[in-house]
Amino acid sequence: MGIRSYYKYFSFFLIILSISSYFVGFIYGENSAGGGLADYPNVWLNLQTFLNNSIIDGVHLTTTYDTEIYHSSRTPLVYIFHKLFNPFVENEILFKRSVFFISLWVPILFYICLKQKFRKEENLLLLLISATIFLSPYFRTSSYWALEENFGLITLLLSFLFLNKFLTNANNISKDYYQLFLTVFFSSTCLYFDQKLAIIPLICFVRIIFSDKPLKLKFFSFFAYFIFSLPFIYLISIWGGIMPPRDAEARGVGYHHLFFYHLGYALTIVAFYLLPLLLFKSENLLKLWKNFFSQRKNYYLISIFFIYLIYLLFFHDYGEERLLGKGFVHKTAILLFEEIFFQKVFIYFSFFFSWIIILIYLSDSLKNKLILSYFFLFSIFVFPLMQEYFDPIIILMAFTFFDSKFFINYKRSILLYFYLSILLVFSNIYYYNLIN
């Protein structure tokens, strides 16, 4: 039996293991992202508000400051969806189970996206990559505790699928309009499930406008996006911003608060997910490293970090930061060091190392730079900054919307699997000890 056969059998075992762990985690009420127990009561409360009122009245109740009526930072589309289409909303256990099974569409759609983008690769290999989503603590916790996040991931993947079908459709006008409408619909829905996914309709719109499709289709997309934006414009008018007013005030959104120190933590979180994806580049890590430092322009990009470091050292008080959020690097620093000085050294060095990883990954891809710039800009405006805002979105987008030429094989995919498995194991240990 050759090495390739061993890789195949082992990959099949890993796929079964990840799927099994997903079901076992649900049975035992896993809380690997830490927020399930705290956030679920709000979800159930918000759902009751919409079940006991008309949709219009429910939307208006999202303007309240009363957390016993509505408590969420997102738009209420997920609760409207449950009210209209989920027959299991009357019972808490059945409701949780329904979201658990709906969430299975994320790895399924991810596999279909991979199949569409990497047409020549083996099904088992693509199944292995798609199965890594089962290792995301944040995907799992949202699935188990009926949270809101996974609905945005589903529409993100549907947006990619229909956008690609539209762009590759060969002069069939009826299919063009059908696929274009679904692209606009699902990408717009991303925004309504999760405001940070506003980047998805923007990417889709730009791709459509700069495609070689007829002008009338581009006008149609512009008109359709305008129509689908009207409900959000209405929400902004009644909220006074892009979030329900109670949560906007609590998070400082729209109150001229900018959290520049979040940028460094966002670097560490994004770099964490991009690091294993460097394995999928055509060159090995050592050659990527050498090529990066052989180009003079990259030293100018590196110097940007030291400007940011000056800001952190002279204009930011690390000791005043709240413990909530900020990702794995901040939590690791607290676990490793008691003294603030050593925590700062560890964290700021991690910021620098993460910046290097991101620069190496981005290389000369303008599209990827613009997408990641959006997420970094987003981090400055939100509080608290949570790792769940990037996981598993960065992995999903790297294999779909990113302009990345990946060379995938079993060895690289297995390494990615174990890399993400480590995160899942340590997340479970950390939050189990924290809660208990």
Side-chain angles (χ1 to χ4, degrees):
M1 185 181 294
I3 187 67
R4 186 173 178 82
S5 296
Y6 279 115
Y7 276 139
K8 287 185 175 181
Y9 282 116
F10 190 49
S11 297
F12 181 76
F13 167 76
L14 293 178
I15 293 168
I16 298 300
L17 180 64
S18 63
I19 296 173
S20 301
S21 75
Y22 177 71
F23 282 85
V24 171
F26 177 69
I27 293 170
Y28 286 96
E30 179 187 305
N31 189 23
S32 51
L37 285 170
D39 293 338
Y40 171 72
N42 295 329
V43 171
W44 184 249
L45 173 75
N46 298 340
L47 180 62
Q48 301 314 303
T49 295
F50 275 85
L51 292 180
N52 297 326
N53 295 277
S54 68
I55 291 176
I56 297 297
D57 290 341
V59 169
H60 279 276
L61 287 171
T62 63
T63 63
T64 183
Y65 280 75
D66 187 347
T67 56
E68 295 300 315
I69 296 177
Y70 190 81
H71 188 182
S72 174
S73 61
R74 294 178 174 85
T75 75
L77 179 59
V78 67
Y79 303 109
I80 296 173
F81 170 85
H82 286 308
K83 178 182 176 74
L84 295 178
F85 303 111
N86 190 340
F88 305 106
V89 292
E90 300 297 336
N91 179 282
E92 288 195 58
I93 294 176
L94 294 179
F95 172 61
K96 285 183 179 178
R97 289 177 182 173
S98 70
V99 176
F100 170 77
F101 284 105
I102 290 172
S103 296
L104 281 170
W105 278 105
V106 176
I108 292 171
L109 288 170
F110 187 33
Y111 165 75
I112 297 172
C113 289
L114 292 172
K115 188 66 178 174
Q116 188 184 82
K117 190 170 184 177
F118 303 97
R119 298 179 185 276
K120 296 181 181 180
E121 301 297 341
E122 297 179 48
N123 286 332
L124 183 63
L125 178 56
L126 300 181
L127 283 170
L128 176 61
I129 296 174
S130 63
T132 60
I133 297 301
F134 288 117
L135 306 175
S136 163
Y138 308 95
F139 165 75
R140 292 165 72 98
T141 300
S142 296
S143 302
Y144 302 156
W145 295 94
L147 305 186
E148 304 163 332
E149 286 84 349
N150 290 346
F151 290 85
L153 302 181
I154 291 171
T155 51
L156 180 154
L157 295 168
L158 286 170
S159 301
F160 175 79
L161 282 173
F162 285 107
L163 175 66
N164 266 15
K165 284 182 177 293
F166 169 73
L167 294 176
T168 56
N169 182 37
N171 299 321
N172 186 321
I173 196 65
S174 61
K175 279 189 176 181
D176 270 337
Y177 277 106
Y178 170 72
Q179 292 164 356
L180 177 58
F181 174 81
L182 290 177
T183 300
V184 175
F185 174 75
F186 285 117
S187 61
S188 298
T189 306
C190 287
L191 173 63
Y192 291 97
F193 279 131
D194 196 338
Q195 290 95 318
K196 70 177 175 287
L197 294 181
I199 186 66
I200 304 302
L202 180 59
I203 294 172
C204 293
F205 180 71
V206 171
R207 291 286 305 277
I208 293 166
I209 294 300
F210 286 96
S211 71
D212 57 0
K213 293 293 184 177
L215 191 60
K216 60 184 178 181
L217 289 171
K218 297 176 183 180
F219 276 118
F220 176 82
S221 69
F222 180 84
F223 177 75
Y225 272 118
F226 172 74
I227 295 298
F228 284 122
S229 71
L230 293 178
F232 197 75
I233 294 172
Y234 175 71
L235 286 175
I236 292 175
S237 71
I238 65 173
W239 287 347
I242 63 171
M243 291 171 56
R246 188 266 171 200
D247 274 75
E249 183 176 319
R251 295 164 180 261
V253 177
Y255 290 85
H256 308 292
H257 293 170
L258 297 177
F259 307 96
F260 289 108
Y261 69 95
H262 280 179
L263 184 58
Y265 293 109
L267 289 175
T268 62
I269 298 170
V270 171
F272 177 84
Y273 298 104
L274 294 185
L275 179 60
L277 299 184
L278 290 175
L279 296 172
F280 292 84
K281 298 280 191 177
S282 58
E283 301 169 323
N284 62 47
L285 292 177
L286 181 60
K287 192 170 183 179
L288 285 171
W289 184 270
K290 288 181 177 179
N291 288 344
F292 175 78
F293 283 101
S294 67
Q295 300 179 44
R296 186 173 181 179
K297 66 176 183 178
N298 289 328
Y299 289 93
Y300 295 111
L301 295 173
I302 292 173
S303 66
I304 294 174
F305 172 80
F306 294 100
I307 298 173
Y308 180 62
L309 182 61
I310 290 172
Y311 158 76
L312 292 174
L313 293 174
F314 292 98
F315 301 99
H316 175 65
D317 186 354
Y318 169 80
E320 293 297 316
E321 292 182 12
R322 290 175 60 182
L323 294 178
L324 184 63
K326 293 177 288 187
F328 74 101
V329 162
H330 184 257
K331 292 177 175 62
T332 302
I334 294 173
L335 290 173
L336 292 178
F337 309 104
E338 291 185 6
E339 295 186 23
I340 287 181
F341 173 77
F342 292 110
Q343 290 179 16
K344 286 174 65 175
V345 171
F346 177 83
I347 289 171
Y348 293 167
F349 178 79
S350 299
F351 287 178
F352 176 71
F353 182 66
S354 299
W355 180 233
I356 298 297
I357 292 173
I358 290 169
L359 291 177
I360 293 174
Y361 181 87
L362 291 176
S363 185
D364 294 321
S365 174
L366 177 61
K367 180 180 177 181
N368 292 353
K369 290 175 182 175
L370 292 174
I371 293 174
L372 286 185
S373 295
Y374 166 84
F375 283 102
F376 294 139
L377 183 64
F378 162 82
S379 71
I380 296 173
F381 291 92
V382 298
F383 182 88
L385 182 71
M386 311 293 282
Q387 187 154 341
E388 66 190 64
Y389 297 163
F390 303 89
D391 181 320
I393 292 173
I394 297 299
I395 294 287
L396 292 176
M397 293 196 67
F399 280 100
T400 55
F401 285 102
F402 276 26
D403 185 20
S404 303
K405 294 182 179 179
F406 282 155
F407 295 84
I408 61 178
N409 59 31
Y410 283 103
K411 183 178 180 180
R412 294 170 178 177
S413 302
I414 290 172
L415 287 173
L416 174 64
Y417 184 101
F418 279 105
Y419 181 88
L420 296 176
S421 297
I422 293 171
L423 173 65
L424 177 61
V425 170
F426 278 94
S427 295
N428 271 295
I429 293 172
Y430 176 83
Y431 283 110
Y432 178 82
N433 291 330
L434 184 67
I435 294 171
N436 295 285

